[in-house]
Amino acid sequence: MPKFIPYNYNQDAMVVINFQDQLQPGTFEHTLHYLIEHKLDLSVFHPEFNNDDGGRPAYDPAILLKIILFAYSKGITSSREIEWNCRTNIIFKALSCDTMPHFTTIASFVSSYTDAIEDTFEQILLICDQQGLLGHELLAIDGCKLSSNAAKEWSGTFKELEQKRDKIKRQIRHHLAEHKKADTHQSLDQERQQRARQAIDTLSDAYEKIDQFLKTSQPRMGKGKIKKEVKSNITDNDSAKMTTSKGTLQGYTGIATVDKKHQIIVDAQAFGEGQEQHTLQPVLDTVQQRYRKLGLSKHIYKDDIIVTADTGFANEANMQYLHENHINAYIPDNQFRSRDPRFTEQKAKHGKRPSTGKTKTQTVIPPSEFSFDPTHKTCICPAGEVMWLKKEGLDQRGVYKLFFEGRLTKCRHCALKKQCMRNPASADTRKGHGRQVSFVLENKRAPTYTDWMKHRVDSEKGKHVYSHRMSVVEPVFGNITTNKGLSRFSLRGQKKVQCQWQYYCLVHNIEKLANYGRLVA
């Protein structure tokens, strides 16, 4: 028989470990440790600690910051899991110097130091510039929509929430009546009565939650020119319903402004907005203030730095803002590819995009089949019915249009409904509407700021500049969401969510310093 070295698991061993040796140069954890110990000023965290004269000693913010940022780099956001790693993982032990903060301490630190984390983000950004990682040539702005720690089922306008509250109240009355009947029948088992009581308690909690929200909150209004009420959320009212390629979610948009040279994130903000247009101006203003505060540039946009963003940020108000502030920006409208001759043969050459499996009803009858009279401002649909002029004025791109809509009672029973309407089923509901079409009034058309941006984007220089946008900002989102595992925000409230977003952006920038910086320990 073969001979093997004997082994026995039921034995103890003394292993001498030097924590400094576990942080090998060139690794993320070594760079993180070196930056916090030798480069960063963490005194901004100190005012929150009032234990100079009494109380037990607190964990050093340097220790907590190290283990949290390292955990985020590994896709770990659970405070309990971070505590467990501090007990079992040698790298966590080395970074924490064998201290084991309780998970409540870790959770409190993550959510309580929003201003201090932003200051730390700016210090790291300044180090990136000192290391030559900022090119100050081109900034790419984009957003990443992620789910929040709130269910979209708890969203609605105040009217919808009131209806939901009343519906729950009727359900409670029904269950109470059933429960009262059950008390008179001894044959019903105890388990069934227990389930009925639990249902009543659950519904009562939901009723109180909605009722308290309606009494203490105000309707949430949108940020468009026409102030309309948008859906509130009872759990996290700073979040918003957002439409993505993967469906509708309740969440936040994490906006990142990325420098082209080494994909360093120079600004990170989170917005609870379904549309990105309203975020462009706050982001540009914050970047300007940060560069001035850090001494990187007094007037960054006057230094002719290029700013790019995708079509989600394009509207007339933003184009006017860029023009009036002399910002060298390239932000195309959603029709810019159709004007580019290089894309005319794209579908024929490469085929259509693969189907997502969802059936999409398309309009068969185009607006050109409608009888439009610009002189009298009237429109007759293919079925011969007169449509009503819903409104006239500038659209989001600054084009003067007339907007017509079919009478709902006429469209509901029209023989051409299925060939004409995008969603024929909507005509059968009270909240639906008839077929909608719009027409441009050429004599009312005046030059707009959107036309100015179209001219810039359609130029040869504009095409060349904009071609860099995707390669600058999209890999950043790929790194944060895929490599670092950020699929949803675990905190609630815009300020705390923005702090968590900055944690991940900090991790990204520190990785860049580890890979391309010249830090010497």
Side-chain angles (χ1 to χ4, degrees):
M1 294 180 64
K3 294 182 179 180
F4 299 108
I5 298 174
Y7 56 88
N8 179 16
Y9 284 107
N10 189 23
Q11 58 181 326
D12 298 326
M14 295 291 293
V15 180
V16 179
I17 298 175
N18 183 282
F19 292 138
Q20 189 72 45
D21 293 342
Q22 307 306 313
L23 308 175
Q24 292 296 309
T27 61
F28 174 83
E29 54 268 23
H30 177 270
T31 305
L32 174 63
H33 171 72
Y34 178 77
L35 285 170
I36 292 178
E37 289 294 326
H38 302 285
K39 292 293 185 180
L40 298 184
D41 178 14
L42 300 183
S43 60
V44 67
F45 292 91
H46 296 172
E48 298 295 328
F49 297 91
N50 299 317
N51 58 350
D52 298 353
D53 300 325
R56 61 175 295 181
Y59 287 101
D60 195 313
I63 294 294
L64 295 172
L65 195 59
K66 286 179 190 178
I67 61 176
I68 290 169
L69 289 175
F70 183 68
Y72 277 32
S73 73
K74 300 300 180 183
I76 302 171
T77 57
S78 168
S79 300
R80 294 176 185 270
E81 190 171 355
I82 295 175
E83 179 192 354
W84 180 81
N85 275 282
C86 288
R87 298 178 183 275
T88 59
N89 188 296
I90 187 60
I91 303 299
F92 276 91
K93 280 180 170 290
L95 289 172
S96 66
C97 212
D98 205 23
T99 59
M100 289 170 282
H102 195 261
F103 72 88
T104 55
T105 303
I106 298 171
S108 176
F109 187 87
V110 169
S111 60
S112 302
Y113 295 91
T114 54
D115 295 334
I117 293 302
E118 185 166 354
D119 182 83
T120 305
F121 178 87
E122 292 177 346
Q123 291 187 57
I124 292 293
L125 180 62
L126 190 58
I127 295 172
C128 289
D129 182 63
Q130 294 169 354
Q131 294 288 307
L133 302 188
L134 293 180
H136 305 295
E137 173 191 357
L138 182 145
L139 297 178
I141 304 174
D142 206 351
C144 179
K145 296 179 180 179
L146 296 170
S147 298
S148 62
N149 190 7
K152 61 184 179 181
E153 287 75 16
W154 290 102
S155 293
T157 62
F158 265 50
K159 183 178 180 180
E160 292 171 342
L161 292 175
E162 288 172 357
Q163 292 173 347
K164 187 171 185 177
R165 179 189 60 183
D166 295 340
K167 181 180 178 181
I168 292 175
K169 190 173 184 179
R170 292 193 299 269
Q171 290 176 328
I172 293 174
R173 289 174 178 172
H174 169 75
H175 282 285
L176 285 172
E178 291 295 320
H179 187 59
K180 189 175 181 179
K181 290 180 182 178
D183 288 340
T184 62
H185 295 80
Q186 299 298 328
S187 58
L188 292 177
D189 57 3
Q190 194 71 19
E191 183 180 353
R192 184 175 174 181
Q193 294 185 25
Q194 179 66 23
R195 288 199 303 266
R197 284 193 293 268
Q198 289 177 350
I200 294 172
D201 292 340
T202 302
L203 290 170
S204 298
D205 291 341
Y207 176 85
E208 290 296 333
K209 186 176 181 180
I210 298 175
D211 188 61
Q212 182 67 19
F213 178 82
L214 291 173
K215 290 179 178 178
T216 58
S217 305
Q218 295 295 326
R220 185 178 178 184
M221 307 306 292
K223 294 186 177 181
K225 290 183 178 180
I226 302 176
K227 298 298 182 181
K228 294 183 178 180
E229 184 184 358
V230 297
K231 293 181 183 293
S232 302
N233 186 271
I234 295 175
T235 308
D236 183 0
N237 202 25
D238 290 338
S239 63
K241 265 193 172 181
M242 303 177 179
T243 302
T244 68
S245 59
K246 298 180 181 179
T248 303
L249 56 84
Q250 186 75 30
Y252 289 88
T253 301
I255 305 291
T257 306
V258 184
D259 184 87
K260 176 187 174 184
K261 185 176 181 181
H262 281 290
Q263 297 173 332
I264 299 296
I265 301 173
V266 301
D267 182 65
Q269 298 186 55
F271 295 90
E273 298 289 339
Q275 301 294 327
E276 294 173 331
Q277 293 99 329
H278 309 304
T279 66
L280 181 64
Q281 295 184 31
V283 167
L284 292 174
D285 290 342
T286 303
V287 171
Q288 170 78 290
Q289 295 169 9
R290 176 168 291 132
Y291 269 62
R292 188 176 298 161
K293 175 183 177 182
L294 299 179
L296 301 179
S297 174
K298 290 185 178 180
H299 302 285
I300 179 176
Y301 303 124
K302 289 185 179 180
D303 295 340
D304 211 31
I305 191 170
I306 299 172
V307 176
T308 64
D310 67 4
T311 58
F313 294 87
N315 64 8
E316 180 66 12
N318 285 341
M319 299 307 106
Q320 181 178 356
Y321 173 84
L322 296 171
H323 185 274
E324 292 176 349
N325 289 275
H326 307 286
I327 299 176
N328 187 17
Y330 294 87
I331 304 177
D333 61 293
N334 56 8
Q335 299 295 323
F336 83 104
R337 291 196 186 277
S338 62
R339 299 191 301 270
D340 193 335
R342 294 177 298 177
F343 291 92
T344 53
E345 304 296 331
Q346 185 181 34
K347 287 186 178 180
K349 183 177 180 180
H350 300 287
K352 297 182 179 180
R353 290 184 178 181
S355 174
T356 59
K358 298 180 180 179
T359 58
K360 186 177 180 181
T361 305
Q362 297 182 348
T363 303
V364 177
I365 303 177
S368 58
E369 297 297 321
F370 289 69
S371 299
F372 170 57
D373 184 353
T375 304
H376 298 92
K377 297 182 180 180
T378 59
C379 180
I380 300 176
C381 74
E385 298 291 343
V386 178
M387 306 179 72
W388 65 286
L389 179 60
K390 187 176 182 180
K391 68 173 182 176
E392 63 176 293
L394 299 177
D395 65 1
Q396 292 183 346
R397 293 179 290 170
V399 180
Y400 196 91
K401 289 184 176 181
L402 298 181
F403 298 85
F404 293 92
E405 183 174 317
R407 304 285 180 181
L408 183 59
T409 55
K410 299 290 186 181
C411 292
R412 183 175 295 157
H413 305 290
C414 181
L416 300 177
K417 180 174 68 173
K418 292 185 178 180
Q419 288 110 6
C420 184
M421 299 188 68
R422 298 179 186 275
N423 185 10
S426 66
D428 298 328
T429 64
R430 286 184 293 177
K431 293 183 179 181
H433 54 74
R435 171 64 191 274
Q436 297 173 324
V437 290
S438 62
F439 300 93
V440 178
L441 275 186
E442 296 296 340
N443 59 340
K444 293 277 187 174
R445 182 71 161 81
T448 63
Y449 293 101
T450 301
D451 294 332
W452 164 73
M453 183 56 70
K454 285 181 180 179
H455 178 73
R456 289 174 59 83
V457 173
D458 291 344
S459 65
E460 288 302 319
K461 180 182 178 181
K463 293 175 183 176
H464 174 73
V465 170
Y466 188 72
S467 66
H468 292 286
R469 184 203 67 83
M470 184 176 292
S471 61
V472 173
V473 70
E474 295 297 345
V476 173
F477 292 137
N479 181 39
I480 292 176
T481 58
T482 303
N483 297 341
K484 302 299 176 287
L486 177 62
S487 58
R488 65 189 295 270
F489 294 110
S490 58
L491 302 180
R492 292 173 180 169
Q494 188 271 336
K495 197 170 184 179
K496 292 182 180 181
V497 168
Q498 178 165 307
C499 180
Q500 191 171 33
W501 177 242
Q502 288 177 341
Y503 267 117
Y504 274 96
C505 293
L506 264 174
V507 169
H508 174 85
N509 286 349
I510 293 173
E511 268 190 342
K512 292 294 182 179
L513 283 169
N515 295 332
Y516 302 105
R518 301 183 301 274
L519 295 171
V520 179

